[in-house]
C-alpha cells in the first residue's frame, strides 16, 4: 500500500481530540470524507488522539456501514434494496450499474472509479426506486438516469 | 404540522416566523417546567417513533431523576423501511423540530442536547445545521434564550449506517463513540441514559407536535382525532398507490379514506392485495381491513399495528414472498450481534425465507419459522429481535399456502 499522507488528518484531530471518545464518529466521518476510507495509519493516530484502544476504533469502523477499511470508489453509489424500491424496479437499476462497471481485483492499488453497493431503505419511498450517489439522493431512478 | 412541507425548499427562519413559528417558546419560558409537562400530559401525546410511550410522562421522569447534566435527544435515525416522515420534516421544516427539542429541554431541565441524524441524510443534516445557525443568530437557541435564564444549544451528530442506532440506548452508545449495541433495560433512559445521565429522547415527529400543543393548548390539540387517540398523525404511503407520499390526517379516519380518497387508490387501476402496516416489524392488512379506523385502539382490535405510520401497499400482481425475503435480509444484516436469539434467529429466518421465495419450501418450514420467531420475540434483548419476525407471522396467518412445499 502506498504511504498515506497524514497532513490532512492533523487539523481534524486538533479540532476533536479534547472531546475524547465521544468525538469518534464525527472524526471518522471527517476522515472518510477526506481519504475515501479509514487507512490503518490514520486509525492508529485517531486511537492515540482520542485515548481509545485501537481495537475499539476498528470495532466501530467495522460496525458502521458507512465507514470503510479499504479504499472504495471515488464515487460511491448506494442502491436501495428494500421492498418498496424493489417493487419499483431497483433490481434492474442495480444490475445495470454493476454490468457497466469494470471489475477491479481486490488488493489492486488502483482505486475503482465507482463503487456500487446495495443499501437498506433510503427513506425516498415516495419517489422509488432510489439511490444515493456520494450521499446525494436520486429518486425515480431508471436505467436512463 | 406539515403546513410548511412540500414547498420544494426548506422553510427558513424568516418564513417560519411569518407562519407563526417560535410562539411556543415565548409562552413556555414564562411557565414553570412542571406546568409545561402538565400541558404535554394533558394533550395525551405519545411517541411517534413506534413505541408510543406517553411523552409528558417521559419528560416528567427525566425532570424528576437525579443527575446532572440532563440531556434531551432528538432521534432522527429514521431507518424503518417505508418511513420517510422524519426526513421530510427535517428537510422542509427544521425550525419546527428545533422548537420542539427546545421545549423538551426546558421541560426536562436539560442543559445539553443532541440531534442524531441518520448518516445517509446528508441533505437533512445540512438543512438542520443551517437552521441551528439561524436560530442561534437571533436568540431562539444559545445563551439566555429570549432574555430568560434558560440556555440551550443542541449538538448535531451523524449516524453511520446502522438501523439499530434508532433504538434509543444504541443511539446513546453511538453518540458516546461506540458500536451501537443496545443496553439492558432497566435502567431506562429517563434515569440513566446518555453518558449515564437522565435523558429524554424523542422521535422527530413527537417533538414537532410540541410547538402546537404549547402554543394552542392541550384542549385544542385534543379536539383533533379520537378520544383515545387524539391529535394528528403522519402516515407514509408507498408502494402500488397512485400518489405515494406523506399524509397528515387526524387519528380516526378510515384506511379506505386515506388509501382511496387521499392517495388516489391503487396504481394502474389494479386490485388491492394487501398493505403492510407499521414498518419492517409490522403486520399485513387485507381487504377486510379497509374500513378500519386509523387509531391506536382500532388498529389493535383489528390485530394491526400503527408503528411509526408506515403503510406500504401491494397490488394483486405482487409476490409477497419476495417482500418477506427482503425484510428477512434486512433484519439479518442489521442485527447488531449482541444477543444470540436475534443474531442466530435472523440468520435462520433469512435462510428459510430464501428457499420459500424460491418456491423450494421444505415440509415443516411453517412450524420452523413460527418456533424460531417466538424464540426471538421472547428472548431478544431489544425491539429489533423482538419484532424481526412479525411480518412473517402475519403472512403465515393470512397466506399459509406461501410457506408450504408446492406438492402439499
Amino acid at each position: 500500500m502506498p504511504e498515506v499522507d497524514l497532513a490532512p488528518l492533523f487539523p481534524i484531530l486538533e479540532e476533536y481530540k479534547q472531546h475524547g471518545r465521544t468525538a469518534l464518529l464525527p472524526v471518522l466521518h471527517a476522515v472518510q470524507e477526506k481519504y475515501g476510507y479509514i487507512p490503518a495509519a490514520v486509525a492508529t493516530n485517531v486511537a492515540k488522539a482520542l485515548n481509545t484502544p485501537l481495537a475499539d476504533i476498528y470495532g466501530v469502523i467495522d460496525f458502521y456501514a458507512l465507514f470503510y477499511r479499504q479504499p472504495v470508489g471515488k464515487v460511491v453509489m448506494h442502491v436501495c434494496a428494500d421492498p418498496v424500491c424493489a417493487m419499483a424496479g431497483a433490481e434492474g437499476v442495480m444490475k445495470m450499474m454493476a454490468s457497466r462497471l469494470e471489475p477491479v481485483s481486490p488488493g489492486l492499488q488502483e482505486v475503482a472509479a465507482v463503487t456500487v453497493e446495495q443499501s437498506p431503505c433510503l427513506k425516498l419511498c415516495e419517489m422509488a426506486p432510489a439511490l444515493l450517489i456520494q450521499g446525494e439522493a436520486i429518486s425515480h431512478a431508471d436505467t436512463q438516469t | 404540522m406539515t403546513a410548511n412541507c412540500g414547498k420544494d425548499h426548506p422553510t427558513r427562519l424568516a418564513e417560519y416566523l411569518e407562519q407563526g413559528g417560535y410562539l411556543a417558546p415565548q409562552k413556555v419560558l414564562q411557565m414553570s417546567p412542571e406546568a409545561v409537562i402538565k400541558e404535554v400530559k394533558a394533550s395525551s401525546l405519545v411517541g411517534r417513533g413506534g413505541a408510543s410511550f406517553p411523552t409528558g410522562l417521559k419528560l416528567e421522569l427525566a425532570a424528576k431523576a437525579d443527575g446532572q447534566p440532563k440531556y434531551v435527544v432528538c432521534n432522527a435515525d429514521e431507518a424503518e423501511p417505508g418511513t420517510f416522515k422524519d426526513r421530510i420534516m427535517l428537510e422542509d421544516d427544521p425550525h419546527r423540530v428545533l422548537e420542539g427539542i427546545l421545549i423538551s429541554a426546558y421541560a426536562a431541565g436539560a442543559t445539553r442536547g443532541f440531534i442524531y441524524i441518520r448518516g445517509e441524510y446528508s441533505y437533512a443534516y445540512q438543512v438542520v445545521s443551517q437552521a441551528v445557525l439561524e436560530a442561534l443568530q437571533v436568540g431562539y437557541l444559545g445563551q439566555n434564550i429570549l432574555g430568560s435564564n434558560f440556555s440551550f444549544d443542541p449538538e448535531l451528530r451523524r449516524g453511520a449506517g446502522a438501523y439499530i442506532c434508532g433504538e434509543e440506548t444504541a443511539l446513546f452508545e453511538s453518540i458516546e463513540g461506540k458500536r451501537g449495541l443496545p443496553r439492558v433495560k432497566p435502567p431506562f433512559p429517563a434515569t440513566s441514559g446518555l453518558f449515564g445521565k437522565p435523558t429524554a429522547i424523542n422521535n422527530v415527529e413527537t417533538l414537532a407536535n410540541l410547538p402546537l400543543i404549547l402554543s394552542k393548548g392541550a384542549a385544542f390539540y385534543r379536539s383533533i382525532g379520537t378520544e383515545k387517540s387524539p391529535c394528528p398523525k403522519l402516515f407514509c404511503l408507498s408502494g402500488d398507490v397512485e400518489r405515494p407520499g406523506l399524509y397528515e390526517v387526524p387519528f380516526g379516519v378510515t384506511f379506505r379514506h386515506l388509501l382511496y380518497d387521499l392517495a388516489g387508490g391503487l396504481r394502474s387501476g389494479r386490485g388491492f392485495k394487501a398493505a403492510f402496516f407499521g414498518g419492517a416489524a409490522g403486520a399485513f392488512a387485507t381487504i377486510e381491513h379497509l374500513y378500519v379506523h386509523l387509531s391506536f385502539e382500532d388498529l389493535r382490535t383489528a390485530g394491526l399495528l400503527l408503528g411509526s405510520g408506515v403503510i406500504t401497499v401491494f397490488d394483486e400482481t405482487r409476490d409477497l414472498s419476495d417482500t418477506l425475503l427482503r425484510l428477512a435480509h434486512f433484519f439479518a444484516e442489521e442485527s447488531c450481534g449482541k444477543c444470540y436469539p436475534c443474531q442466530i434467529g435472523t440468520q435462520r429466518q433469512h435462510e428459510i425465507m430464501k428457499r420459500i421465495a424460491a418456491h423450494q419450501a421444505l415440509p415443516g418450514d411453517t412450524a420452523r419459522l413460527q418456533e424460531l420467531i417466538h424464540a426471538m420475540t421472547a428472548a431478544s434483548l431489544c425491539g429489533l429481535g423482538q419484532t424481526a419476525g412479525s411480518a412473517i407471522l402475519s403472512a403465515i396467518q393470512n397466506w399459509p399456502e406461501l410457506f408450504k412445499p408446492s406438492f402439499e
Side-chain angles (χ1 to χ4, degrees):
Chain A
M1 283 293 240
E3 261 206 42
V4 171
D5 177 13
L6 292 178
L9 173 63
F10 297 128
I12 298 172
L13 294 182
E14 263 317 298
E15 190 189 336
Y16 285 108
K17 69 180 186 203
Q18 55 181 300
H19 302 291
R21 185 158 184 172
T22 179
L24 180 54
L25 264 76
V27 166
L28 291 177
H29 271 298
V31 168
Q32 180 66 44
E33 250 160 79
K34 253 302 180 260
Y35 290 89
Y37 72 117
I38 324 280
V42 169
T44 310
N45 277 277
V46 169
K48 276 198 213 117
L50 300 184
N51 205 24
T52 300
L54 186 58
D56 287 11
I57 305 290
Y58 276 113
V60 166
I61 293 170
D62 287 345
F63 183 83
Y64 292 97
L66 298 183
F67 298 142
Y68 299 91
R69 271 212 214 196
Q70 301 296 334
V72 288
K74 295 196 177 70
V75 176
V76 180
M77 297 190 187
H78 290 102
V79 183
C80 177
D82 273 345
V84 177
C85 283
M87 280 155 60
E91 199 103 309
V93 174
M94 183 77 196
K95 283 191 181 133
M96 196 225 64
M97 303 298 323
S99 69
R100 289 278 173 92
L101 300 173
E102 280 171 25
V104 177
S105 306
L108 263 193
Q109 295 199 4
E110 292 249 336
V111 170
V114 182
T115 294
V116 182
E117 288 187 357
Q118 279 203 326
S119 155
C121 180
L122 296 172
K123 339 286 48 259
L124 297 159
C125 324
E126 81 277 24
M127 303 181 282
L131 55 136
L132 287 183
I133 300 182
Q134 283 301 84
E136 206 183 300
I138 309 287
S139 53
H140 295 300
D142 59 17
T143 47
Q144 293 296 323
T145 335
Chain B
M1 258 205 303
T2 50
N4 291 328
C5 294
K7 292 181 189 162
D8 276 338
H9 65 263
T11 306
R12 293 253 176 270
L13 181 58
E15 201 182 337
Y16 187 63
L17 290 171
E18 263 172 48
Q19 304 293 329
Y22 286 110
L23 281 180
Q26 293 172 35
K27 271 188 159 176
V28 160
L29 291 168
Q30 308 290 330
M31 297 161 74
S32 68
E34 290 78 21
V36 174
I37 289 170
K38 201 167 165 212
E39 197 68 11
V40 177
K41 281 171 112 175
S43 75
S44 299
L45 175 66
V46 297
R48 296 291 195 246
S52 312
F53 189 85
T55 310
L57 178 59
K58 184 182 278 193
L59 294 171
E60 187 176 49
L61 288 168
K64 287 186 169 161
D66 287 321
Q68 288 291 340
K70 294 192 184 173
Y71 294 92
V72 284
V73 177
C74 170
N75 186 344
D77 188 60
E78 182 178 54
E80 198 71 48
T83 181
F84 43 87
K85 60 184 178 67
D86 297 342
R87 172 181 63 79
I88 291 179
M89 288 301 307
L90 292 169
E91 289 177 355
D92 287 10
D93 206 1
H95 283 286
R96 189 179 300 267
V97 182
L98 292 182
E99 215 184 319
I101 195 176
L102 170 61
I103 295 168
S104 78
Y106 184 76
T111 52
R112 305 270 323 269
F114 288 86
I115 301 175
Y116 185 95
I117 300 180
R118 189 183 166 179
E120 293 87 338
Y121 281 1
S122 343
Y123 180 60
Y125 182 81
Q126 284 167 37
V127 169
V128 177
S129 302
Q130 181 63 28
V132 168
L133 281 173
E134 284 183 331
L136 281 168
Q137 266 160 13
V138 178
Y140 287 115
L141 288 175
Q143 296 295 314
N144 302 110
I145 295 171
L146 297 176
S148 71
N149 288 333
F150 183 66
S151 304
F152 181 70
D153 177 11
E155 189 180 327
L156 259 60
R157 286 298 182 93
R158 293 182 64 197
Y163 165 77
I164 187 60
C165 287
E167 198 280 339
E168 53 193 9
T169 62
L171 194 155
F172 299 154
E173 292 286 294
S174 190
I175 292 179
E176 292 177 20
K178 305 176 215 157
R179 294 179 293 158
L181 305 181
R183 301 171 184 169
V184 174
K185 294 187 282 199
F188 292 95
T191 46
S192 176
L194 190 53
F195 303 109
K197 301 294 184 190
T199 307
I201 175 169
N202 283 292
N203 173 262
V204 169
E205 186 188 345
T206 314
L207 293 173
N209 275 272
L210 292 179
L212 192 61
I213 294 170
L214 273 306
S215 60
K216 294 242 165 99
F220 166 81
Y221 193 72
R222 283 195 67 100
S223 68
I224 310 162
T226 69
E227 177 63 37
K228 287 195 183 142
S229 302
C231 327
K233 176 76 188 87
L234 301 183
F235 283 95
C236 298
L237 243 70
S238 63
D240 293 324
V241 285
E242 195 60 46
R243 290 188 290 272
L246 180 63
Y247 289 85
E248 179 180 0
V249 294
F251 270 124
V253 302
T254 61
F255 173 41
R256 201 210 160 280
H257 172 70
L258 179 56
L259 177 57
Y260 286 101
D261 299 338
L262 299 184
L266 279 282
R267 257 199 309 234
S268 320
R270 291 204 175 121
F272 175 86
K273 182 182 217 161
F276 194 52
F277 272 65
F284 286 97
T286 59
I287 200 105
E288 305 160 6
H289 296 112
L290 224 42
Y291 286 93
V292 167
H293 291 271
L294 298 174
S295 69
F296 291 108
E297 63 274 17
D298 291 300
L299 286 169
R300 207 177 304 127
T301 312
L304 293 172
L305 202 63
L306 183 79
S308 58
V310 174
I311 302 181
T312 303
V313 178
F314 301 90
D315 70 32
E316 59 202 343
T317 67
R318 294 297 178 186
D319 176 11
L320 289 180
S321 62
D322 179 70
T323 301
L324 293 171
L325 173 60
R326 287 176 191 278
L327 291 178
H329 174 255
F330 174 80
F331 282 114
E333 279 292 306
E334 299 295 334
S335 171
C336 75
K338 183 168 180 174
C339 76
Y340 273 166
C342 173
Q343 189 206 122
I344 310 284
T346 52
Q347 301 290 329
R348 291 284 107 84
Q349 179 174 255
H350 185 217
E351 278 166 24
I352 299 172
M353 277 315 306
K354 269 198 264 200
R355 55 177 185 259
I356 286 172
H359 306 292
Q360 288 166 3
L362 294 172
D365 266 350
T366 306
R368 234 169 248 122
L369 277 171
Q370 284 169 320
E371 193 188 321
L372 123 78
I373 292 169
H374 287 139
M376 279 200 288
T377 309
S380 296
L381 176 59
C382 82
L384 190 157
Q386 287 158 8
T387 56
S390 56
I392 291 172
L393 279 188
S394 174
I396 288 173
Q397 207 179 347
N398 287 297
W399 305 282
E401 65 281 1
L402 276 181
F403 299 85
K404 294 198 161 39
S406 37
F407 55 79
E408 265 186 33

